Amino acid sequence: MDLYNRVRSRDFKDMYPTSEFLSIMGGRINHELFEKGKLPHGMILYSDYDMPGVGKTTAARITAVMLNSSRLTDEQKDDIYSGRPSEVCIEINVADVRRIDDARMIAQRILELRDAMFNYNYVFIFDEAHKLTQDA
């Protein structure tokens, strides 16, 4: 496993507070999901910085685990934290799927999971979304 995945934070409180978002995200997910029973269908995590490593992917992975914590084994949680393939947290590098057919395939996968009989909160991470083509 890569070093950056071994030392990646596994809780919002362990992340360096690069923004107000990180300091409130864990509590907001718990409050919205468990107390109100509603979370937004989509969240956009972005950075004003022109550099990687500010915590967007880590925050998305932590969110995926938090949303499904009662249904995941420790091994499944480790897979998500480490970026290994997971049925709950699907990471897509948009720079690699730039064609309209790729976008259609992803949309079809989302529909299949929505209609599936599994009781998970699926998280799709679209990394490098700014590289998506206009058509896709």
Side-chain angles (χ1 to χ4, degrees), residues 66-136:
M66 287 181 73
L67 290 173
N68 295 287
S69 62
S70 64
R71 290 167 246 160
L72 297 175
T73 65
D74 287 342
E75 184 177 327
Q76 289 172 311
K77 291 176 185 178
D78 285 341
D79 287 345
I80 293 171
Y81 288 132
S82 302
R84 292 188 291 269
S86 165
E87 62 188 42
V88 173
C89 184
I90 298 100
E91 293 189 42
I92 299 166
N93 186 337
V94 175
D96 297 334
V97 290
R98 299 176 51 142
R99 299 174 305 146
I100 193 162
D101 289 339
D102 296 326
R104 285 186 182 127
M105 185 175 59
I106 292 167
Q108 181 62 36
R109 178 74 175 133
I110 292 170
L111 290 175
E112 290 169 0
L113 290 173
R114 182 196 68 191
D115 298 333
M117 294 173 47
F118 305 109
N119 192 19
Y120 290 115
N121 292 298
Y122 296 98
V123 174
F124 283 79
I125 300 173
F126 295 98
D127 201 13
E128 303 293 330
H130 63 281
K131 294 185 180 180
L132 193 62
T133 62
Q134 185 69 29
D135 291 338

Side-chain angles (χ1 to χ4, degrees), residues 22-58:
L22 293 177
S23 63
I24 64 169
M25 191 61 185
R28 177 166 178 143
I29 288 173
N30 281 326
H31 174 72
E32 298 291 330
L33 178 66
F34 297 114
E35 292 181 23
K36 290 188 174 181
K38 58 183 180 180
L39 273 176
H41 292 287
M43 290 186 274
I44 297 175
L45 309 181
Y46 71 95
S47 170
D48 290 334
Y49 307 109
D50 190 21
M51 56 191 279
V54 297
K56 299 176 298 289
T57 301
T58 299

Side-chain angles (χ1 to χ4, degrees), residues 1-7 10 78 81-84:
M1 180 189 320
D2 298 322
L3 177 62
Y4 57 87
N5 279 321
R6 279 189 288 190
V7 298
R10 293 179 176 232
D78 285 341
Y81 288 132
S82 302
R84 292 188 291 269

